[in-house]
Protein backbone atom coordinates (compact mmCIF):
# COMPACT_ATOMS: atom_id res chain seq x y z
CA UNK A 1 0.00 0.00 0.00
CA UNK A 2 2.35 2.71 1.20
CA UNK A 3 5.15 3.34 3.65
CA UNK A 4 4.30 6.55 5.48
CA UNK A 5 7.89 7.54 6.35
CA UNK A 6 6.42 10.55 8.14
CA UNK A 7 5.51 11.99 4.74
CA UNK A 8 3.98 15.45 5.02
CA UNK A 9 0.38 15.34 3.82
CA UNK A 10 -1.11 18.64 2.77
CA UNK A 11 -4.64 19.93 2.62
CA UNK A 12 -7.90 19.54 4.52
CA UNK A 13 -10.78 17.57 3.03
CA UNK A 14 -14.50 18.05 3.66
CA UNK A 15 -16.02 15.34 5.93
CA UNK A 16 -12.70 13.77 6.97
CA UNK A 17 -11.86 14.02 10.69
CA UNK A 18 -8.60 12.08 11.00
CA UNK A 19 -7.34 10.76 7.63
CA UNK A 20 -4.31 8.49 8.02
CA UNK A 21 -2.12 6.97 5.27
CA UNK A 22 -3.23 3.36 5.01
CA UNK A 23 -0.53 1.10 6.41
CA UNK A 24 -0.69 -2.58 7.32
CA UNK A 25 1.45 -2.13 10.43
CA UNK A 26 -0.98 0.46 11.79
CA UNK A 27 -4.32 -0.59 10.34
CA UNK A 28 -3.86 -4.33 9.90
CA UNK A 29 -6.70 -5.25 12.26
CA UNK A 30 -9.16 -2.58 11.15
CA UNK A 31 -12.21 -3.04 8.98
CA UNK A 32 -15.20 -1.09 7.74
CA UNK A 33 -18.64 -1.99 9.06
CA UNK A 34 -21.65 -1.76 6.74
CA UNK A 35 -24.56 0.38 7.86
CA UNK A 36 -28.08 0.92 6.55
CA UNK A 37 -27.75 4.69 6.96
CA UNK A 38 -24.16 5.55 6.06
CA UNK A 39 -24.50 9.24 5.19
CA UNK A 40 -24.87 10.92 8.57
CA UNK A 41 -21.53 12.68 7.94
CA UNK A 42 -23.15 14.59 5.05
CA UNK A 43 -26.10 15.91 7.04
CA UNK A 44 -24.23 19.00 8.30
CA UNK A 45 -23.11 20.45 4.97
CA UNK A 46 -25.13 22.16 2.24
CA UNK A 47 -22.64 21.84 -0.64
CA UNK A 48 -20.65 18.88 -1.96
CA UNK A 49 -17.96 18.91 -4.69
CA UNK A 50 -18.89 17.34 -8.01
CA UNK A 51 -16.93 16.04 -10.99
CA UNK A 52 -17.91 17.12 -14.48
CA UNK A 53 -18.93 13.64 -15.66
CA UNK A 54 -21.57 13.61 -12.91
CA UNK A 55 -23.30 16.78 -14.10
CA UNK A 56 -26.07 15.05 -16.06
CA UNK A 57 -27.03 12.66 -13.25
CA UNK A 58 -26.75 15.28 -10.49
CA UNK A 59 -28.74 17.87 -12.44
CA UNK A 60 -31.90 15.84 -11.79
CA UNK A 61 -31.50 16.40 -8.03
CA UNK A 62 -29.60 19.61 -7.28
CA UNK A 63 -28.46 22.98 -8.60
CA UNK A 64 -24.87 22.67 -9.88
CA UNK A 65 -22.94 25.88 -9.30
CA UNK A 66 -19.33 27.08 -9.32
CA UNK A 67 -17.76 28.55 -6.19
CA UNK A 68 -14.55 30.05 -4.85
CA UNK A 69 -11.45 31.36 -6.56
CA UNK A 70 -10.96 28.03 -8.33
CA UNK A 71 -14.60 27.96 -9.51
CA UNK A 72 -15.06 24.51 -7.99
CA UNK A 73 -18.27 22.85 -9.20
CA UNK A 74 -20.52 21.78 -6.33
CA UNK A 75 -24.07 20.58 -5.83
CA UNK A 76 -26.27 22.58 -3.48
CA UNK A 77 -28.10 20.39 -0.96
CA UNK A 78 -29.41 23.06 1.39
CA UNK A 79 -30.16 26.78 1.62
CA UNK A 80 -28.14 27.41 4.78
CA UNK A 81 -24.76 26.32 6.09
CA UNK A 82 -25.04 23.24 8.26
CA UNK A 83 -28.32 22.20 6.63
CA UNK A 84 -28.76 19.33 4.17
CA UNK A 85 -32.27 18.91 2.80
CA UNK A 86 -31.48 15.54 1.22
CA UNK A 87 -29.95 13.76 4.22
CA UNK A 88 -31.72 13.20 7.51
CA UNK A 89 -29.83 13.60 10.77
CA UNK A 90 -29.72 9.80 11.16
CA UNK A 91 -27.94 9.41 7.82
CA UNK A 92 -30.81 8.43 5.54
CA UNK A 93 -30.27 9.84 2.01
CA UNK A 94 -33.34 10.67 -0.07
CA UNK A 95 -33.96 7.64 -2.27
CA UNK A 96 -34.62 9.80 -5.35
CA UNK A 97 -31.43 11.88 -5.02
CA UNK A 98 -28.10 11.28 -6.75
CA UNK A 99 -25.23 10.54 -4.37
CA UNK A 100 -22.02 12.27 -5.57
CA UNK A 101 -18.85 10.20 -5.96
CA UNK A 102 -17.15 12.54 -3.49
CA UNK A 103 -19.52 11.16 -0.84
CA UNK A 104 -19.43 7.54 -2.02
CA UNK A 105 -15.65 7.24 -1.67
CA UNK A 106 -15.80 7.92 2.09
CA UNK A 107 -14.04 6.85 4.37
CA UNK A 108 -11.22 6.55 1.82
CA UNK A 109 -9.43 9.47 0.19
CA UNK A 110 -6.20 10.27 -1.61
CA UNK A 111 -3.81 12.66 0.13
CA UNK A 112 -1.31 14.73 -1.79
CA UNK A 113 2.29 14.03 -0.72
CA UNK A 114 3.85 16.95 -2.58
CA UNK A 115 7.33 16.31 -1.20
CA UNK A 116 7.46 12.91 -2.89
CA UNK A 117 5.10 13.89 -5.74
CA UNK A 118 2.63 11.08 -5.19
CA UNK A 119 -0.88 10.36 -3.98
CA UNK A 120 -1.35 8.24 -0.88
CA UNK A 121 -4.49 6.27 -0.08
CA UNK A 122 -5.81 7.27 3.34
CA UNK A 123 -8.67 6.19 5.54
CA UNK A 124 -10.55 8.38 7.99
CA UNK A 125 -9.69 6.81 11.32
CA UNK A 126 -12.32 9.07 12.86
CA UNK A 127 -15.17 7.51 10.86
CA UNK A 128 -17.70 5.66 13.02
CA UNK A 129 -17.81 2.78 10.52
CA UNK A 130 -14.05 2.13 10.81
CA UNK A 131 -13.38 -0.18 13.73
CA UNK A 132 -11.18 -2.94 15.09
CA UNK A 133 -12.31 -6.21 13.56
CA UNK A 134 -14.73 -4.46 11.19
CA UNK A 135 -16.77 -6.68 8.89
CA UNK A 136 -14.86 -5.65 5.75
CA UNK A 137 -11.18 -6.02 6.71
CA UNK A 138 -8.66 -3.60 5.24
CA UNK A 139 -5.94 -6.25 5.14
CA UNK A 140 -5.98 -10.04 4.84
CA UNK A 141 -2.84 -12.00 5.70
CA UNK A 142 -0.79 -8.81 5.59
CA UNK A 143 -2.01 -7.76 2.13
CA UNK A 144 -4.65 -5.26 1.05
CA UNK A 145 -8.05 -6.97 0.97
CA UNK A 146 -10.36 -7.07 -2.04
CA UNK A 147 -12.40 -4.39 -0.29
CA UNK A 148 -9.35 -2.12 -0.01
CA UNK A 149 -8.35 -2.78 -3.61
CA UNK A 150 -11.83 -1.80 -4.76
CA UNK A 151 -11.55 1.39 -2.72
CA UNK A 152 -8.17 2.10 -4.32
CA UNK A 153 -9.66 1.64 -7.79
CA UNK A 154 -12.59 3.92 -6.95
CA UNK A 155 -10.25 6.62 -5.63
CA UNK A 156 -8.04 6.28 -8.71
CA UNK A 157 -11.06 6.76 -10.95
CA UNK A 158 -12.18 9.71 -8.85
CA UNK A 159 -8.75 11.31 -9.18
CA UNK A 160 -8.92 10.98 -12.97
CA UNK A 161 -12.37 12.57 -12.97
CA UNK A 162 -11.12 15.34 -10.67
CA UNK A 163 -8.35 16.17 -13.13
CA UNK A 164 -10.86 16.11 -15.99
CA UNK A 165 -13.01 18.51 -14.01
CA UNK A 166 -10.10 20.90 -13.52
CA UNK A 167 -9.56 20.91 -17.29
CA UNK A 168 -13.25 21.60 -17.91
CA UNK A 169 -13.27 24.50 -15.44
CA UNK A 170 -10.10 25.94 -16.98
CA UNK A 171 -11.74 25.75 -20.41
CA UNK A 172 -14.83 27.72 -19.43
CA UNK A 173 -12.66 30.20 -17.51
CA UNK A 174 -10.45 30.72 -20.58
CA UNK A 175 -13.59 31.36 -22.64
CA UNK A 176 -14.83 33.79 -19.95
CA UNK A 177 -18.20 32.04 -19.78
CA UNK A 178 -18.81 32.43 -16.03
CA UNK A 179 -20.78 35.25 -14.46
CA UNK A 180 -22.00 35.88 -10.94
CA UNK A 181 -25.63 35.08 -10.38
CA UNK A 182 -28.07 35.36 -7.48
CA UNK A 183 -30.54 32.77 -6.28
CA UNK A 184 -33.63 34.72 -5.25
CA UNK A 185 -36.86 33.64 -3.58
CA UNK A 186 -39.98 35.79 -3.77
CA UNK A 187 -42.47 34.82 -1.05
CA UNK A 188 -46.20 35.39 -1.25
CA UNK A 189 -47.96 37.80 1.06
CA UNK A 190 -51.09 36.60 2.88
CA UNK A 191 -53.21 38.39 0.26
CA UNK A 192 -51.47 36.50 -2.56
CA UNK A 193 -49.39 39.41 -3.82
CA UNK A 194 -45.60 38.98 -4.30
CA UNK A 195 -43.56 39.75 -1.20
CA UNK A 196 -40.10 41.23 -0.87
CA UNK A 197 -37.54 39.19 -2.85
CA UNK A 198 -35.00 37.40 -0.63
CA UNK A 199 -31.46 36.66 -1.79
CA UNK A 200 -30.55 33.05 -1.01
CA UNK A 201 -27.07 32.79 -2.51
CA UNK A 202 -24.54 34.34 -4.84
CA UNK A 203 -22.58 32.00 -7.09
CA UNK A 204 -20.90 31.56 -10.45
CA UNK A 205 -22.76 30.11 -13.41
CA UNK A 206 -22.30 29.91 -17.16
CA UNK A 207 -23.76 32.95 -18.89
CA UNK A 208 -26.14 31.89 -21.67
CA UNK A 209 -25.54 35.22 -23.41
CA UNK A 210 -21.76 34.62 -23.45
CA UNK A 211 -22.32 31.06 -24.63
CA UNK A 212 -24.51 32.20 -27.54
CA UNK A 213 -21.92 34.84 -28.47
CA UNK A 214 -19.16 32.28 -29.03
CA UNK A 215 -17.99 31.78 -32.62
CA UNK A 216 -19.58 28.82 -34.39
CA UNK A 217 -16.28 26.96 -34.58
CA UNK A 218 -15.78 27.30 -30.81
CA UNK A 219 -19.29 25.99 -30.13
CA UNK A 220 -18.56 23.07 -32.44
CA UNK A 221 -15.37 22.38 -30.50
CA UNK A 222 -17.27 22.40 -27.20
CA UNK A 223 -19.84 20.05 -28.72
CA UNK A 224 -17.24 17.63 -30.03
CA UNK A 225 -15.25 17.40 -26.78
CA UNK A 226 -18.40 16.90 -24.69
CA UNK A 227 -18.14 20.17 -22.77
CA UNK A 228 -21.28 21.65 -24.31
CA UNK A 229 -23.44 18.84 -22.98
CA UNK A 230 -21.99 19.35 -19.49
CA UNK A 231 -22.65 23.08 -19.71
CA UNK A 232 -26.30 22.50 -20.64
CA UNK A 233 -26.67 20.01 -17.77
CA UNK A 234 -25.37 22.72 -15.42
CA UNK A 235 -27.79 25.30 -16.83
CA UNK A 236 -30.78 22.96 -16.57
CA UNK A 237 -29.80 22.08 -12.99
CA UNK A 238 -30.29 25.69 -11.89
CA UNK A 239 -34.04 25.08 -12.05
CA UNK A 240 -33.41 22.99 -8.93
CA UNK A 241 -33.36 26.08 -6.72
CA UNK A 242 -37.17 25.90 -6.69
CA UNK A 243 -37.00 22.30 -5.47
CA UNK A 244 -34.65 23.30 -2.66
CA UNK A 245 -37.06 26.00 -1.56
CA UNK A 246 -39.96 23.53 -1.62
CA UNK A 247 -37.96 21.00 0.42
CA UNK A 248 -37.02 23.69 2.95
CA UNK A 249 -40.69 24.60 3.45
CA UNK A 250 -41.58 20.92 3.74
CA UNK A 251 -38.97 20.36 6.44
CA UNK A 252 -40.12 23.43 8.37
CA UNK A 253 -43.68 22.14 8.26
CA UNK A 254 -42.75 18.77 9.75
CA UNK A 255 -43.46 18.51 13.49
CA UNK A 256 -40.42 18.30 15.75
CA UNK A 257 -40.21 15.03 17.68
CA UNK A 258 -38.78 14.87 21.18
CA UNK A 259 -37.03 11.67 22.28
Amino acid sequence: MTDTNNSPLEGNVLFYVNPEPLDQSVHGTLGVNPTDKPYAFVAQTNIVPLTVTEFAAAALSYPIIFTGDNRQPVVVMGLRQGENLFVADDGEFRADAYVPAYVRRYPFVFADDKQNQRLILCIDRGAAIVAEGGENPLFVEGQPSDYTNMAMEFCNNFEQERQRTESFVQLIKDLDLLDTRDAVFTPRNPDGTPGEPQKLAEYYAVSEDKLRALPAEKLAELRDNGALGQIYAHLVSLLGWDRLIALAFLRQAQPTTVN
Side-chain angles (χ1 to χ4, degrees), residues 2-3 6 27 33 80-84 97-98 105 142 157 172 179 200 240 255:
T2 181
D3 176 11
N6 296 318
H27 307 114
N33 288 318
R80 298 190 298 267
Q81 289 186 356
E83 173 192 69
N84 193 313
Y98 175 76
R105 70 177 177 170
N157 291 336
I172 60 176
D179 270 347
L200 300 176

Side-chain angles (χ1 to χ4, degrees), residues 217-258:
E217 61 272 15
K218 184 57 66 174
L219 281 171
E221 180 182 332
L222 292 175
R223 178 199 64 204
D224 293 344
N225 65 21
L228 191 59
Q230 310 297 358
I231 288 172
Y232 282 133
H234 151 65
L235 291 172
V236 169
S237 81
L238 298 180
L239 298 173
W241 284 109
D242 289 340
R243 185 187 188 197
L244 283 180
I245 293 168
L247 288 174
F249 276 117
L250 182 62
R251 180 168 289 191
Q252 289 176 1
Q254 292 175 343
T256 301
T257 58
V258 178

Side-chain angles (χ1 to χ4, degrees), residues 130-167:
V130 178
E132 291 286 342
E135 186 171 326
N136 297 300
L138 300 179
F139 295 89
V140 176
E141 296 181 351
Q143 298 298 319
S145 65
D146 290 342
Y147 181 83
T148 297
N149 286 330
M150 286 190 296
M152 171 70 85
E153 182 179 2
F154 189 92
C155 287
N156 270 321
N157 291 336
F158 182 87
E159 176 62 19
Q160 293 174 12
E161 296 303 328
R162 188 192 65 78
Q163 293 177 8
R164 186 174 289 115
T165 302
E166 286 185 351
S167 297

